[in-house]
Amino acid sequence: MTTVSPDDPGVSASTSPAVQTKTSVRRVAVASGIGTTIEFYDFFIYGTAAALVFPKIFFPALGSTAGTVASFATFAVAFIARPVGAVLFGHFGDRIGRKKTLISTLLLMGVSTFAIGLLPGAETIGVAAPIILVLLRFGQGFAVGGEWAGATLLTAEYAPAGKRGFYAMFPQLGPSAAFIFSSATFLATGLLLGDTNETFLNYGWRIPFLLSAVLVLIGLYMRLAIEETPVFRANKLAEEQAPANAAPTKLPIFDAWRIQKREIITAAGALASLFAFFYMGTAYLTSYGTKTLGFERPFVLITGIGAAVIFGIAIAVSATYSDRVGRRRVIMGACIIAIPWSIALFPILDTGSPAAFVIGMCVTLAIFGVAYGPTGALLPELFQTRFRYTGAGLGYNLAGVLGGAIPPMLAAPLTAAFGSISIGVMLALLSVLSLVCTKRLIETKDVDMT
């Protein structure tokens, strides 16, 4: 095994010489950031398409409202798949390594997304179209379920003590960059094709999905260029040298749930409002802006791009700041701000002002960004190395079910029955839950991850 100087950014002071590596933490940070950008680009273009075209393409017989509900139900399918993906990919990530597992998640996401771009609509193949769409969406969610934990583990396990928040920021920036790229791709497609409904519905919406193949190849190249983390390799070496009766179980999920069930459940509750704010601020508000408020699609997409920039800045600032004051304090601050903003959001939007829509989307994503920044370091720091991939991924993706799957699916029927203020009440309740759960978590910024 090639060794390097302990001053190399990729080697922590506690790393055994037997498992040191040439890969620097900067290279890992860049590779992880690019990888999560590609994964979430694929994931988000589905959300944009679900808001703009899927009700007409795959659910034309249901009408506008029911078609939108059905479309967002398929969007929610991915969040059901994510915990399953977290368990399966977490198993392999904890047993055979972070790098190999992340290559698998990237390929699965790429195949699923490309296939959606080729899928005929309901008018061509009937009921088979939405069924296949659900299966492919499940594949997307399955891949993302294994992606996030592995990407953040790569950076957190390479990062030097005291800077894990900063370096774990890079995979956290992936959703921000991906939302920019997905919105920009749909915007450019509409402008180049004249942005007519007929052209966009016929084939224009497929272009962003098909372009994902190029991005997957770039991400694959980046991930093949890095090495496994020293922390994981040291842990595997210790396992190999341990007595037979001290060997770990073959299924990390059992140990993770038995030993750190409290951390998994509490982390899921702590991040629930985070997911709700993000997917309401991206997928649902894209639909609300075009269908309910009557704004033109280019305006809504440009607003999304601007909000995603602010979202990225909030991630960078909060992640770096969490190295100084702690992860819990930053996330709790975001939850406290989120409670009154949840109630105020839809009354502000319903004024019908373009400026109000811009403010609503930007503030919503900024609050999410403040909470999301420290999360890339917090969850890996909570769990033991031998089941860290599984534990972090399961906590994160259970939060996705609670905060990412349910609110967008309930939003349309809640609005129809009780008005848009009911969505704000739902978001506020989730924010209270997250505040309570975050308070119950231990502070992790000074933990030893070796």
Side-chain angles (χ1 to χ4, degrees), residues 58 94 110 119 139 141 145 156 172 233 243 245 265 275 292 294 300 320-322 350 418 424 428:
F58 295 104
D94 285 325
L119 182 62
Q172 298 297 85
R233 294 161 81 174
N245 60 1
I265 295 174
F275 275 95
T292 303
V300 172
T320 304
Y321 191 57
S322 75
D350 289 343
F418 305 106

Side-chain angles (χ1 to χ4, degrees), residues 142-211:
F142 199 65
V144 170
E147 165 66 24
W148 181 88
T152 54
L153 259 60
L154 274 181
T155 51
E157 290 184 345
Y158 264 103
K163 293 187 177 180
R164 282 195 295 263
F166 172 77
Y167 281 109
M169 163 190 74
F170 287 90
Q172 298 297 85
L173 288 172
S176 171
F179 189 50
I180 292 172
F181 292 151
S182 63
S183 297
T185 304
F186 273 102
L187 179 64
T189 299
L191 293 175
L192 290 173
L193 297 176
D195 201 32
T196 63
N197 284 333
E198 183 178 351
T199 303
F200 191 73
L201 289 173
N202 285 340
Y203 64 87
W205 68 270
R206 300 180 183 276
I207 295 174
F209 287 86
L210 300 179
L211 286 176

